[in-house]
Amino acid sequence: MTTKKPFIPPTHDQPEDQTVVSPIQSLDPFHGSERKPTLVMISGTQLGRSFEIDKDEFMVGRVDNCDLVVEDDLVSRHHCKIILTPDGAQIVDLASTNGTLVNGRRIDKVFLKEGDQIQVGSIAIFKFSMQGEAEAKFMAQLFTAATKDFLTNAYNKKFFVERLQSEFFYTLRHGGNLAILVLDIDHFKKVNDTYGHLAGDQALKLVALHLANNTRKDDMVARFGGEEFVILMRDCDLEQAKVLAEHLREGISKINVSSGDQKFSVTASIGISTLSEANRKSMQSPEILIDLADQRLYKAKQSGRNRVCA
C-alpha cells in the first residue's frame, strides 16, 4: 500500500513571467492532508479572518455567488479563482478589470507558495498558507477577539464602524437602501443598582441573543457601548426597518432575565435612520447617518421610552 504524502507548498522563486511549474508531483496534495490551503486577510475589512479553500475551484469576486466575496468597486464580479491541482494551488486571474496581484506583481496565473500575498481591489490583501486544525482554530480565536464584544458576542464598535464606512459608501455609489437601528436598554443603571452588575450582564447577553436571532444573516449586530446596540441593515428601507424595530422592541419586553433567585424584565428604545434615494444628496457621510439615528433614539426616550422613533 502506498502512503499518501502530505502536501508541502513549493518554496521556489517565481520567474519574471509569473508562470511557475511546481515540482510537487503528489497524486492528491490537498484532500486528506492535515493542513488545509487557506487565505488569511492581512489587509481589509475582515482583518485576521481565515478563509479555507474548501473546493477544487475557489472563486473570489464581488458577487454573492463567489466563494469569497470582496465588496470593493475595484474588484470584478468574478475576479480570480484558485484551483487545487496535483501540482499545487494555482491562482488564475479571470480577465479582471484591475488585475490580480501576487507579491505586488500582476499575474495571469501562477502557482502559490507559503506566505504569498494576493491583492484584489484597493485594500483586500490575503496571505496564502497551509493551516493545520490547531492553527486554524487559533486564527479564528484571534479574529473573534479582534471583532467581537467579549460579553455579548455581538460585534464590537471598532469593527462596526469599519463595516459602516464600507457599506455606506457602497450604497452611496450604487444606490439602494441602508438602515441603522440604534437601541438602548431603558433605565439600565437602575437594573445594575437594583439587581447587581452580574444581573445586568445577563440582561445584556439575552438582549444581544434576541437581536442576533431576529435579524437577517447579512445584518450586523454590534454593541456600541454600555447598554447600547446598533444594527446595520443592507437593502432595507424605512418601512422595513420600522417593522423590524417594532418586532425587536416587543420581543425584548418579553425577555425574562434570571440571575440567582432574581427575575426581572427590561424594555428598549430604538432610533432609526436610513440612506435612500430620497436623502442621498444630504446624507454625505456615515457619521450623519448614525447621528440621525441617535437623535431619534433620544426622541424615543424623551417620549416615554419603550418605543421606536424614525
Side-chain angles (χ1 to χ4, degrees):
M1 179 180 296
T2 302
T3 302
K4 187 183 296 184
K5 297 181 179 179
F7 173 70
I8 302 174
T11 57
H12 48 273
D13 293 330
Q14 298 173 3
E16 289 299 315
D17 65 2
Q18 291 288 294
T19 302
V20 177
V21 178
S22 169
I24 304 297
Q25 297 298 325
S26 172
L27 180 62
D28 187 352
F30 298 104
H31 303 103
S33 172
E34 292 182 0
R35 301 175 70 227
K36 306 295 183 182
T38 306
L39 297 178
V40 180
M41 180 169 274
I42 60 174
S43 174
T45 56
Q46 300 189 67
L47 183 66
R49 184 173 178 182
S50 294
F51 302 87
E52 182 182 330
I53 302 170
D54 55 1
K55 54 177 63 176
D56 290 341
E57 291 198 4
F58 186 85
M59 187 72 66
V60 179
R62 199 178 70 241
V63 293
D64 290 341
N65 64 354
C66 290
D67 301 300
L68 198 169
V69 179
V70 181
E71 294 171 348
D72 183 336
D73 288 348
L74 297 182
V75 173
S76 297
R77 292 171 58 84
H78 295 95
H79 196 96
C80 63
K81 64 181 177 180
I82 296 176
I83 305 172
L84 303 184
T85 77
D87 292 326
Q90 185 180 50
I91 186 167
V92 179
D93 182 74
L94 300 175
S96 64
T97 302
N98 295 294
T100 300
L101 278 65
V102 175
N103 299 328
R105 298 171 60 191
R106 187 163 180 164
I107 57 93
D108 293 321
K109 58 181 178 180
V110 63
F111 279 98
L112 295 169
K113 64 181 186 296
E114 182 78 27
D116 275 348
Q117 294 186 12
I118 303 161
Q119 179 172 352
V120 294
S122 57
I123 61 170
I125 302 176
F126 302 90
K127 182 179 76 171
F128 176 77
S129 67
M130 297 292 294
Q131 288 188 356
E133 183 178 349
E135 185 179 6
K137 185 177 180 180
F138 175 69
M139 292 300 296
Q141 290 172 341
L142 286 181
F143 178 72
T144 297
T147 60
K148 294 290 187 78
D149 173 61
F150 75 97
L151 178 65
T152 64
N153 203 40
Y155 285 104
N156 61 30
K157 182 176 181 178
K158 179 179 180 296
F159 191 67
F160 170 81
V161 170
E162 291 174 353
R163 177 73 174 273
L164 173 61
Q165 292 271 345
S166 174
E167 293 287 352
F168 180 89
F169 288 111
Y170 184 88
T171 304
L172 202 63
R173 288 190 299 268
H174 295 280
N177 298 284
L178 185 68
I180 285 185
L181 271 59
V182 179
L183 179 151
D184 197 88
I185 300 176
D186 296 326
H187 301 297
F188 190 69
K189 183 178 184 302
K190 186 177 179 180
V191 170
N192 282 332
D193 291 344
T194 304
Y195 302 103
H197 287 277
L198 291 179
D201 287 350
Q202 181 66 9
L204 287 170
K205 291 177 184 178
L206 291 175
V207 168
L209 182 63
H210 174 72
L211 299 180
N213 288 341
N214 288 275
T215 49
R216 302 171 303 180
K217 181 181 178 181
D218 291 337
D219 295 338
M220 183 179 192
V221 178
R223 186 181 178 192
F224 212 57
E227 66 273 23
E228 189 173 73
F229 293 87
V230 287
I231 305 171
L232 181 63
M233 299 170 293
R234 178 193 292 178
D235 298 325
C236 182
D237 62 26
L238 182 58
E239 291 307 312
Q240 292 170 321
K242 286 180 180 178
V243 171
L244 174 62
E246 284 291 353
H247 174 70
L248 294 174
R249 182 201 61 78
E250 183 179 358
I252 289 170
S253 69
K254 295 177 180 178
I255 295 174
N256 294 312
V257 185
S258 297
S259 181
D261 58 355
Q262 302 180 106
K263 294 184 179 181
F264 60 95
S265 60
V266 296
T267 61
S269 301
I270 304 175
I272 301 173
S273 66
T274 58
L275 172 63
S276 64
E277 289 294 337
N279 66 4
R280 196 169 305 281
K281 291 183 179 180
S282 61
M283 197 77 67
Q284 289 299 307
S285 76
E287 290 77 18
I288 294 175
L289 184 66
I290 200 163
D291 283 347
L292 184 57
D294 264 329
Q295 293 172 26
R296 290 169 177 170
L297 170 63
Y298 181 76
K299 181 180 177 182
K301 290 181 176 182
Q302 292 296 102
S303 302
R305 292 184 168 84
N306 191 24
R307 64 193 63 213
V308 174
C309 284

